[in-house]
Amino acid sequence: MNRKSILIVGVILLIIGSVSAYEIWKVHKPSSLFWHNGFKYAQANTINLNSTMKAFPADESKVNAIHIDATNSDIVVTTGAKFEINLTYYSPKQSEKVLSVSFKSDTLTIKQNNTVNDQTIFSLGEPASKITIVIPDKSPIKSVYASNQYGNLTFKNLNQIPSISANNENGIITFNTVSATSANISAQNEDMLMYRVTFDQATFQNISGDIEVEDSKILLGGKIINQTGDIYIKDTGLPPYYLMTTNGDKEISREQIANKTTKARADLCIRNETGDISIN
């Protein structure tokens, strides 16, 4: 058999294996396909990292900042009775190396490793993993930073956090029932959804996606900037604001028009390049 024939047979076998794995995945969700010398199938593994994190400080009150860095994951940050870090991921076997956790200079760093035991972990139809971080209700956390690519990022039921920063590419950012002194949120290629949030200072920036703010309060000022997508603001308290759009329509309700002012006097700048602005 010549080299060309061997290559053709190899390609055919790869296609057959991939199709078979895909059919198994459709039937046996939650699961995923992963690549390790060809497509293979794996169901979800779940690890509660509290019992295995040697880096976690014995005194949880020493954690003043949380830094999260992930790719191809859904991330959820919420509150509860105690600190928890739970990981659900797709792999043929359990490995705590999927996530590294370190503590240094009052900062808890949670970093995802998508390559474990020479396997490149990715998913078909589902993110490769889900990371849930639970912060105690009365924790002295001063700042939370999260960066994610190719997965959704959700903050919910967080109260009185001094500083929240989040950056997400190719995934939805959702804030639901969150209050903070300062919020700096950026997104790319997906929507940004703000429901029942209260921020003193807020910066929302998006590229290629909508920005929605509903039933919320921005108390002192900031910026809401979009490049390609609409801006919807509904039932939300705003400080004196200035708005402009380069290529799009503007709609302001009678109740909201009173706080509209000039650029020089505005505390909040609302700007859109290509898309509509609606404030109701």
Side-chain angles (χ1 to χ4, degrees):
M1 184 180 290
N2 58 37
R3 184 178 298 176
K4 183 177 180 180
S5 299
I6 294 174
L7 179 61
I8 292 172
V9 171
V11 171
I12 292 172
L13 291 175
L14 177 61
I15 293 172
I16 293 172
S18 301
V19 171
S20 299
Y22 175 71
E23 292 300 322
I24 293 173
W25 169 80
K26 288 199 300 183
V27 174
H28 295 285
K29 295 182 193 179
S31 58
S32 187
L33 301 181
F34 71 96
W35 178 268
H36 182 55
N37 297 324
F39 281 115
K40 296 183 181 179
Y41 164 79
Q43 289 186 311
N45 294 295
T46 300
I47 295 179
N48 183 311
L49 295 180
N50 277 13
S51 60
T52 60
M53 285 193 307
K54 296 179 181 179
F56 201 85
D59 184 1
E60 294 179 351
S61 66
K62 292 183 178 180
V63 180
N64 290 323
I66 296 177
H67 186 113
I68 306 159
D69 188 1
T71 301
N72 199 17
S73 282
D74 282 345
I75 298 175
V76 177
V77 183
T78 187
T79 54
K82 61 181 181 178
F83 260 116
E84 289 185 28
I85 301 176
N86 296 315
L87 169 66
T88 299
Y89 67 98
Y90 299 100
S91 180
K93 58 183 179 180
Q94 279 199 355
S95 174
E96 294 165 11
K97 295 179 181 179
V98 174
L99 204 66
S100 66
V101 180
S102 61
F103 179 73
K104 184 178 180 180
S105 302
D106 79 5
T107 299
L108 184 69
T109 301
I110 303 162
K111 186 175 178 62
Q112 182 186 14
N113 177 17
N114 274 320
T115 303
V116 180
N117 299 328
D118 298 322
Q119 296 165 3
T120 300
I121 300 173
F122 68 98
S123 70
L124 182 59
E126 297 286 344
S129 60
K130 179 179 179 181
I131 304 167
T132 303
I133 298 99
V134 180
I135 302 172
D137 291 322
K138 298 182 180 180
S139 171
I141 292 291
K142 293 182 174 63
S143 68
V144 178
Y145 170 81
S147 177
N148 195 24
Q149 294 183 14
Y150 302 104
N152 297 328
L153 179 55
T154 302
F155 287 74
K156 60 182 181 179
N157 302 324
L158 296 172
N159 296 312
Q160 302 302 320
I161 304 292
S163 175
I164 296 177
S165 297
N167 175 53
N168 206 21
E169 296 182 21
N170 303 298
I172 298 172
I173 290 184
T174 303
F175 276 64
N176 193 334
T177 316
V178 176
S179 64
T181 305
S182 173
N184 192 336
I185 318 299
S186 61
Q188 186 171 337
N189 300 325
E190 262 298 356
D191 295 338
M192 181 185 299
L193 309 175
M194 300 286 159
Y195 302 130
R196 292 171 291 281
V197 301
T198 300
F199 300 137
D200 288 359
Q201 294 282 345
T203 297
F204 306 150
Q205 298 186 79
N206 201 358
I207 300 173
S208 298
D210 294 339
I211 298 176
E212 296 185 20
V213 185
E214 186 172 339
D215 194 21
S216 298
K217 295 178 182 178
I218 298 175
L219 300 176
L220 300 180
K223 296 183 292 186
I224 301 175
I225 300 174
N226 206 355
Q227 187 166 324
T228 305
D230 297 328
I231 297 174
Y232 302 99
I233 301 174
K234 182 179 180 181
D235 297 330
T236 293
L238 302 174
Y241 65 87
Y242 166 81
L243 66 84
M244 66 168 290
T245 179
T246 305
N247 296 296
D249 297 326
K250 294 180 286 186
E251 178 186 351
I252 307 172
S253 70
R254 182 178 301 176
E255 293 78 13
Q256 292 282 15
I257 204 166
N259 272 354
K260 183 176 178 292
T261 187
T262 63
K263 185 176 182 180
R265 295 183 176 183
D267 295 319
L268 176 68
C269 174
I270 304 172
R271 188 175 78 239
N272 206 348
E273 295 296 327
T274 305
D276 299 337
I277 298 176
S278 175
I279 304 178
N280 295 298

